[in-house]
Amino acid sequence: MRIGQGYDIHRLIEGRRLVLGGVEIPYEKGEEAHSDGDVLIHAIIDSILGALSKGDIGSHFPPSDEKYKNADSRMLLYQVMKETGARIINLDTTIIMERPKLREHVDGIIDSLSRILDIEPSRISVKAKTKEKCDATGSGDAVEAHAIVLLDNN
Ligand code: MG
């Protein structure tokens, strides 16, 4: 087995969609990014690449490449899964943002991830926290995500 960890942060700005795990969440602000800015999927991609010691999202999908402008991060994750042949035992994630409340969206995000990763929802955990009003994330100016994945290396 191999374990991997991933982290990402994006600024939240007006005029952008808020996309988490491939699910669009209704909110007045969204992730500033070259791609669609899906902070959760970016953390998951880094956890998988990290588990396999295969670099990070930036080395596979350079932000300087116009091809990835407004890219759908679901496709990037799908591509990573296909290219690495990663077999996920379980995936545990945490999204950190002050607003909006994510509790009602968690099941939909797990469902979305299970379809992209082609694994049962019971192997996926999505937790939502706030930063208790500390720092930029706690002020509502950013969203962060952490991911830890365990892969079957056989
Ligand atoms: Mg990112």
Side-chain angles (χ1 to χ4, degrees), residues 2-10 38-53 55-58 77 80 90-96 125 127 143-151:
R2 295 184 69 119
I3 192 166
Q5 173 268 346
Y7 166 78
D8 198 20
I9 179 169
H10 282 264
D38 193 324
V39 70
L40 178 58
I41 287 188
H42 295 180
I44 293 169
I45 288 174
D46 265 1
S47 72
I48 294 166
L49 293 174
L52 298 167
S53 304
D56 63 20
I57 188 169
L77 176 56
V80 164
N90 77 303
L91 169 68
D92 185 18
T93 68
T94 302
I95 304 165
I96 308 166
S125 155
K127 307 185 298 298
V143 53
E144 302 174 49
H146 296 265
I148 292 183
V149 72
L150 190 65
L151 302 183

Side-chain angles (χ1 to χ4, degrees), residues 121-133:
S122 62
R123 292 177 182 266
I124 302 170
S125 155
V126 174
K127 307 185 298 298
K129 297 187 76 70
T130 72
K131 227 159 196 190
E132 297 289 337
K133 300 190 165 57

Side-chain angles (χ1 to χ4, degrees), residues 24 28 35 44 51 59 64 74 78 101 110 114 120 124:
E24 186 167 341
E28 64 206 43
S35 67
I44 293 169
S59 60
S64 54
R74 290 176 298 182
Y78 183 72
K101 291 293 171 217
I110 290 173
S114 83
E120 309 92 84
I124 302 170

